[in-house]
mmCIF file of all heavy atoms in Angstrom:
data_model
loop_
_atom_site.group_PDB
_atom_site.id
_atom_site.type_symbol
_atom_site.label_atom_id
_atom_site.label_comp_id
_atom_site.label_asym_id
_atom_site.label_seq_id
_atom_site.Cartn_x
_atom_site.Cartn_y
_atom_site.Cartn_z
ATOM 1 N N PRO A 147 140.380 174.132 171.277
ATOM 2 C CA PRO A 147 139.344 174.930 170.608
ATOM 3 C C PRO A 147 138.702 175.947 171.543
ATOM 4 O O PRO A 147 138.547 175.705 172.742
ATOM 5 C CB PRO A 147 138.332 173.868 170.140
ATOM 6 C CG PRO A 147 138.592 172.670 170.982
ATOM 7 C CD PRO A 147 140.041 172.699 171.332
ATOM 8 N N LEU A 148 138.355 177.083 170.977
ATOM 9 C CA LEU A 148 137.655 178.140 171.698
ATOM 10 C C LEU A 148 136.314 178.396 171.034
ATOM 11 O O LEU A 148 136.168 178.225 169.821
ATOM 12 C CB LEU A 148 138.475 179.432 171.706
ATOM 13 C CG LEU A 148 139.835 179.404 172.389
ATOM 14 C CD1 LEU A 148 140.539 180.755 172.224
ATOM 15 C CD2 LEU A 148 139.692 179.059 173.870
ATOM 16 N N ARG A 149 135.362 178.826 171.830
ATOM 17 C CA ARG A 149 134.071 179.245 171.291
ATOM 18 C C ARG A 149 134.002 180.762 171.266
ATOM 19 O O ARG A 149 134.816 181.450 171.877
ATOM 20 C CB ARG A 149 132.932 178.690 172.146
ATOM 21 C CG ARG A 149 132.850 177.163 172.142
ATOM 22 C CD ARG A 149 131.745 176.694 173.060
ATOM 23 N NE ARG A 149 131.656 175.245 173.106
ATOM 24 C CZ ARG A 149 130.852 174.575 173.927
ATOM 25 N NH1 ARG A 149 130.061 175.234 174.773
ATOM 26 N NH2 ARG A 149 130.832 173.258 173.892
ATOM 27 N N ARG A 150 133.003 181.268 170.549
ATOM 28 C CA ARG A 150 132.801 182.713 170.497
ATOM 29 C C ARG A 150 132.702 183.276 171.923
ATOM 30 O O ARG A 150 131.963 182.769 172.769
ATOM 31 C CB ARG A 150 131.516 183.027 169.735
ATOM 32 C CG ARG A 150 131.203 184.517 169.662
ATOM 33 C CD ARG A 150 129.736 184.732 169.329
ATOM 34 N NE ARG A 150 129.423 184.370 167.973
ATOM 35 C CZ ARG A 150 129.393 185.224 166.953
ATOM 36 N NH1 ARG A 150 129.664 186.503 167.161
ATOM 37 N NH2 ARG A 150 129.077 184.804 165.742
ATOM 38 N N GLY A 151 133.470 184.335 172.167
ATOM 39 C CA GLY A 151 133.415 184.991 173.470
ATOM 40 C C GLY A 151 134.330 184.393 174.516
ATOM 41 O O GLY A 151 134.540 184.990 175.584
ATOM 42 N N GLU A 152 134.912 183.205 174.264
ATOM 43 C CA GLU A 152 135.799 182.591 175.236
ATOM 44 C C GLU A 152 137.228 183.129 175.094
ATOM 45 O O GLU A 152 137.692 183.383 173.983
ATOM 46 C CB GLU A 152 135.835 181.069 175.043
ATOM 47 C CG GLU A 152 134.587 180.353 175.491
ATOM 48 C CD GLU A 152 134.723 178.853 175.376
ATOM 49 O OE1 GLU A 152 135.612 178.377 174.633
ATOM 50 O OE2 GLU A 152 133.932 178.136 176.025
ATOM 51 N N SER A 153 137.905 183.275 176.220
ATOM 52 C CA SER A 153 139.308 183.708 176.215
ATOM 53 C C SER A 153 140.259 182.530 176.308
ATOM 54 O O SER A 153 141.425 182.637 175.930
ATOM 55 C CB SER A 153 139.580 184.673 177.378
ATOM 56 O OG SER A 153 138.808 185.858 177.224
ATOM 57 N N GLY A 154 139.762 181.398 176.851
ATOM 58 C CA GLY A 154 140.603 180.219 176.986
ATOM 59 C C GLY A 154 141.472 180.271 178.224
ATOM 60 O O GLY A 154 141.435 181.230 179.007
ATOM 61 N N PRO A 155 142.302 179.273 178.425
ATOM 62 C CA PRO A 155 143.153 179.211 179.619
ATOM 63 C C PRO A 155 144.205 180.311 179.624
ATOM 64 O O PRO A 155 144.597 180.829 178.577
ATOM 65 C CB PRO A 155 143.802 177.830 179.506
ATOM 66 C CG PRO A 155 143.766 177.514 178.045
ATOM 67 C CD PRO A 155 142.499 178.112 177.528
ATOM 68 N N ARG A 156 144.660 180.633 180.827
ATOM 69 C CA ARG A 156 145.736 181.616 180.955
ATOM 70 C C ARG A 156 147.074 180.894 180.861
ATOM 71 O O ARG A 156 147.283 179.852 181.473
ATOM 72 C CB ARG A 156 145.620 182.399 182.261
ATOM 73 C CG ARG A 156 144.416 183.327 182.257
ATOM 74 C CD ARG A 156 144.510 184.397 183.335
ATOM 75 N NE ARG A 156 143.528 185.431 183.093
ATOM 76 C CZ ARG A 156 143.726 186.525 182.359
ATOM 77 N NH1 ARG A 156 144.910 186.705 181.788
ATOM 78 N NH2 ARG A 156 142.773 187.411 182.207
ATOM 79 N N ILE A 157 147.981 181.493 180.118
ATOM 80 C CA ILE A 157 149.275 180.881 179.829
ATOM 81 C C ILE A 157 150.363 181.770 180.406
ATOM 82 O O ILE A 157 150.351 183.007 180.208
ATOM 83 C CB ILE A 157 149.454 180.716 178.306
ATOM 84 C CG1 ILE A 157 148.339 179.804 177.761
ATOM 85 C CG2 ILE A 157 150.837 180.180 177.963
ATOM 86 C CD1 ILE A 157 148.204 179.827 176.259
ATOM 87 N N THR A 158 151.296 181.176 181.116
ATOM 88 C CA THR A 158 152.357 181.951 181.773
ATOM 89 C C THR A 158 153.502 182.228 180.810
ATOM 90 O O THR A 158 153.999 181.322 180.130
ATOM 91 C CB THR A 158 152.894 181.190 183.002
ATOM 92 O OG1 THR A 158 151.813 180.929 183.901
ATOM 93 C CG2 THR A 158 153.970 182.006 183.709
ATOM 94 N N VAL A 159 153.922 183.475 180.753
ATOM 95 C CA VAL A 159 155.050 183.868 179.908
ATOM 96 C C VAL A 159 156.337 183.338 180.541
ATOM 97 O O VAL A 159 156.643 183.644 181.704
ATOM 98 C CB VAL A 159 155.123 185.403 179.757
ATOM 99 C CG1 VAL A 159 156.374 185.804 178.979
ATOM 100 C CG2 VAL A 159 153.862 185.926 179.082
ATOM 101 N N ASP A 160 157.092 182.545 179.772
ATOM 102 C CA ASP A 160 158.342 182.007 180.300
ATOM 103 C C ASP A 160 159.497 182.956 180.010
ATOM 104 O O ASP A 160 159.350 183.973 179.309
ATOM 105 C CB ASP A 160 158.615 180.602 179.761
ATOM 106 C CG ASP A 160 158.717 180.543 178.227
ATOM 107 O OD1 ASP A 160 158.953 181.594 177.598
ATOM 108 O OD2 ASP A 160 158.557 179.437 177.658
ATOM 109 N N SER A 161 160.663 182.626 180.546
ATOM 110 C CA SER A 161 161.819 183.514 180.399
ATOM 111 C C SER A 161 162.255 183.630 178.948
ATOM 112 O O SER A 161 162.711 184.703 178.513
ATOM 113 C CB SER A 161 162.976 183.014 181.266
ATOM 114 O OG SER A 161 163.361 181.694 180.881
ATOM 115 N N GLN A 162 162.123 182.544 178.195
ATOM 116 C CA GLN A 162 162.548 182.586 176.795
ATOM 117 C C GLN A 162 161.714 183.568 175.994
ATOM 118 O O GLN A 162 162.257 184.380 175.234
ATOM 119 C CB GLN A 162 162.447 181.190 176.170
ATOM 120 C CG GLN A 162 162.947 181.138 174.724
ATOM 121 C CD GLN A 162 162.959 179.733 174.154
ATOM 122 O OE1 GLN A 162 162.876 178.750 174.906
ATOM 123 N NE2 GLN A 162 163.062 179.615 172.847
ATOM 124 N N ALA A 163 160.406 183.556 176.178
ATOM 125 C CA ALA A 163 159.541 184.479 175.446
ATOM 126 C C ALA A 163 159.822 185.921 175.851
ATOM 127 O O ALA A 163 159.788 186.834 175.012
ATOM 128 C CB ALA A 163 158.077 184.132 175.688
ATOM 129 N N ALA A 164 160.095 186.129 177.136
ATOM 130 C CA ALA A 164 160.398 187.483 177.610
ATOM 131 C C ALA A 164 161.736 187.959 177.057
ATOM 132 O O ALA A 164 161.862 189.109 176.610
ATOM 133 C CB ALA A 164 160.413 187.500 179.136
ATOM 134 N N ASP A 165 162.750 187.099 177.074
ATOM 135 C CA ASP A 165 164.059 187.491 176.554
ATOM 136 C C ASP A 165 163.999 187.780 175.057
ATOM 137 O O ASP A 165 164.631 188.717 174.566
ATOM 138 C CB ASP A 165 165.079 186.378 176.815
ATOM 139 C CG ASP A 165 165.395 186.212 178.302
ATOM 140 O OD1 ASP A 165 165.069 187.131 179.080
ATOM 141 O OD2 ASP A 165 165.925 185.138 178.679
ATOM 142 N N GLU A 166 163.246 186.971 174.323
ATOM 143 C CA GLU A 166 163.142 187.166 172.871
ATOM 144 C C GLU A 166 162.399 188.447 172.516
ATOM 145 O O GLU A 166 162.565 188.973 171.411
ATOM 146 C CB GLU A 166 162.423 185.972 172.240
ATOM 147 C CG GLU A 166 163.223 184.685 172.257
ATOM 148 C CD GLU A 166 162.394 183.491 171.812
ATOM 149 O OE1 GLU A 166 161.156 183.625 171.686
ATOM 150 O OE2 GLU A 166 162.989 182.416 171.590
ATOM 151 N N SER A 167 161.620 188.979 173.440
ATOM 152 C CA SER A 167 160.808 190.154 173.120
ATOM 153 C C SER A 167 161.624 191.416 172.924
ATOM 154 O O SER A 167 161.127 192.395 172.379
ATOM 155 C CB SER A 167 159.762 190.385 174.208
ATOM 156 O OG SER A 167 160.360 190.798 175.425
ATOM 157 N N VAL A 168 162.889 191.396 173.347
ATOM 158 C CA VAL A 168 163.732 192.576 173.163
ATOM 159 C C VAL A 168 164.669 192.412 171.976
ATOM 160 O O VAL A 168 165.550 193.248 171.746
ATOM 161 C CB VAL A 168 164.547 192.878 174.434
ATOM 162 C CG1 VAL A 168 163.627 193.245 175.592
ATOM 163 C CG2 VAL A 168 165.439 191.689 174.819
ATOM 164 N N SER A 169 164.479 191.343 171.205
ATOM 165 C CA SER A 169 165.330 191.119 170.035
ATOM 166 C C SER A 169 165.030 192.151 168.965
ATOM 167 O O SER A 169 163.877 192.435 168.654
ATOM 168 C CB SER A 169 165.082 189.709 169.474
ATOM 169 O OG SER A 169 165.690 189.566 168.206
ATOM 170 N N GLY A 170 166.072 192.695 168.395
ATOM 171 C CA GLY A 170 165.878 193.637 167.298
ATOM 172 C C GLY A 170 166.008 192.983 165.941
ATOM 173 O O GLY A 170 165.936 193.657 164.907
ATOM 174 N N ALA A 171 166.182 191.658 165.931
ATOM 175 C CA ALA A 171 166.438 190.943 164.681
ATOM 176 C C ALA A 171 165.182 190.311 164.097
ATOM 177 O O ALA A 171 165.235 189.753 163.010
ATOM 178 C CB ALA A 171 167.501 189.869 164.912
ATOM 179 N N GLU A 172 164.071 190.390 164.802
ATOM 180 C CA GLU A 172 162.840 189.783 164.307
ATOM 181 C C GLU A 172 161.635 190.509 164.885
ATOM 182 O O GLU A 172 161.762 191.357 165.775
ATOM 183 C CB GLU A 172 162.788 188.297 164.672
ATOM 184 C CG GLU A 172 162.888 188.027 166.166
ATOM 185 C CD GLU A 172 162.778 186.549 166.513
ATOM 186 O OE1 GLU A 172 161.998 185.850 165.841
ATOM 187 O OE2 GLU A 172 163.464 186.112 167.451
ATOM 188 N N SER A 173 160.468 190.153 164.397
ATOM 189 C CA SER A 173 159.229 190.756 164.852
ATOM 190 C C SER A 173 158.794 190.112 166.160
ATOM 191 O O SER A 173 158.515 188.910 166.205
ATOM 192 C CB SER A 173 158.145 190.555 163.782
ATOM 193 O OG SER A 173 156.899 190.979 164.262
ATOM 194 N N THR A 174 158.744 190.906 167.240
ATOM 195 C CA THR A 174 158.361 190.369 168.542
ATOM 196 C C THR A 174 157.394 191.322 169.244
ATOM 197 O O THR A 174 157.220 192.472 168.835
ATOM 198 C CB THR A 174 159.586 190.151 169.446
ATOM 199 O OG1 THR A 174 160.245 191.410 169.650
ATOM 200 C CG2 THR A 174 160.550 189.148 168.834
ATOM 201 N N VAL A 175 156.779 190.836 170.300
ATOM 202 C CA VAL A 175 155.879 191.627 171.142
ATOM 203 C C VAL A 175 156.477 191.692 172.541
ATOM 204 O O VAL A 175 156.926 190.665 173.070
ATOM 205 C CB VAL A 175 154.476 190.984 171.194
ATOM 206 C CG1 VAL A 175 153.594 191.703 172.202
ATOM 207 C CG2 VAL A 175 153.833 190.990 169.813
ATOM 208 N N PRO A 176 156.526 192.875 173.176
ATOM 209 C CA PRO A 176 157.111 192.980 174.511
ATOM 210 C C PRO A 176 156.327 192.184 175.559
ATOM 211 O O PRO A 176 155.115 192.345 175.688
ATOM 212 C CB PRO A 176 157.083 194.486 174.809
ATOM 213 C CG PRO A 176 156.110 195.074 173.846
ATOM 214 C CD PRO A 176 156.110 194.195 172.657
ATOM 215 N N LEU A 177 157.036 191.332 176.274
ATOM 216 C CA LEU A 177 156.445 190.517 177.328
ATOM 217 C C LEU A 177 157.336 190.549 178.548
ATOM 218 O O LEU A 177 158.533 190.820 178.449
ATOM 219 C CB LEU A 177 156.292 189.062 176.863
ATOM 220 C CG LEU A 177 155.350 188.744 175.705
ATOM 221 C CD1 LEU A 177 155.446 187.261 175.350
ATOM 222 C CD2 LEU A 177 153.912 189.125 176.041
ATOM 223 N N GLU A 178 156.766 190.222 179.702
ATOM 224 C CA GLU A 178 157.533 190.099 180.942
ATOM 225 C C GLU A 178 157.341 188.700 181.505
ATOM 226 O O GLU A 178 156.226 188.164 181.490
ATOM 227 C CB GLU A 178 157.095 191.144 181.967
ATOM 228 C CG GLU A 178 157.409 192.571 181.556
ATOM 229 C CD GLU A 178 156.985 193.573 182.619
ATOM 230 O OE1 GLU A 178 156.583 193.117 183.721
ATOM 231 O OE2 GLU A 178 157.052 194.786 182.355
ATOM 232 N N GLN A 179 158.435 188.137 181.981
ATOM 233 C CA GLN A 179 158.348 186.791 182.550
ATOM 234 C C GLN A 179 157.342 186.773 183.690
ATOM 235 O O GLN A 179 157.289 187.675 184.529
ATOM 236 C CB GLN A 179 159.724 186.346 183.065
ATOM 237 C CG GLN A 179 159.741 184.926 183.601
ATOM 238 C CD GLN A 179 161.132 184.484 184.023
ATOM 239 O OE1 GLN A 179 162.115 185.201 183.824
ATOM 240 N NE2 GLN A 179 161.229 183.292 184.612
ATOM 241 N N GLY A 180 156.527 185.737 183.719
ATOM 242 C CA GLY A 180 155.531 185.591 184.777
ATOM 243 C C GLY A 180 154.170 186.159 184.428
ATOM 244 O O GLY A 180 153.195 185.871 185.135
ATOM 245 N N GLN A 181 154.074 186.983 183.398
ATOM 246 C CA GLN A 181 152.754 187.463 182.974
ATOM 247 C C GLN A 181 151.869 186.279 182.609
ATOM 248 O O GLN A 181 152.348 185.277 182.069
ATOM 249 C CB GLN A 181 152.870 188.389 181.760
ATOM 250 C CG GLN A 181 153.365 189.798 182.057
ATOM 251 C CD GLN A 181 153.468 190.632 180.790
ATOM 252 O OE1 GLN A 181 154.041 190.181 179.798
ATOM 253 N NE2 GLN A 181 152.940 191.839 180.828
ATOM 254 N N ARG A 182 150.575 186.409 182.914
ATOM 255 C CA ARG A 182 149.625 185.364 182.553
ATOM 256 C C ARG A 182 148.619 185.961 181.563
ATOM 257 O O ARG A 182 147.871 186.873 181.914
ATOM 258 C CB ARG A 182 148.921 184.806 183.793
ATOM 259 C CG ARG A 182 149.891 184.004 184.669
ATOM 260 C CD ARG A 182 149.221 183.482 185.939
ATOM 261 N NE ARG A 182 148.058 182.655 185.672
ATOM 262 C CZ ARG A 182 148.093 181.385 185.280
ATOM 263 N NH1 ARG A 182 149.284 180.789 185.094
ATOM 264 N NH2 ARG A 182 147.000 180.694 185.092
#
Side-chain angles (χ1 to χ4, degrees):
L148 298 177
R149 296 177 181 174
R150 178 199 289 265
E152 287 184 341
S153 297
R156 291 197 166 270
I157 299 166
T158 302
V159 175
D160 59 20
S161 60
Q162 183 175 344
D165 292 344
E166 290 171 349
S167 69
V168 296
S169 169
E172 58 178 324
S173 173
T174 60
V175 173
L177 296 175
E178 294 181 7
Q179 183 176 354
Q181 284 179 311
R182 291 178 57 78

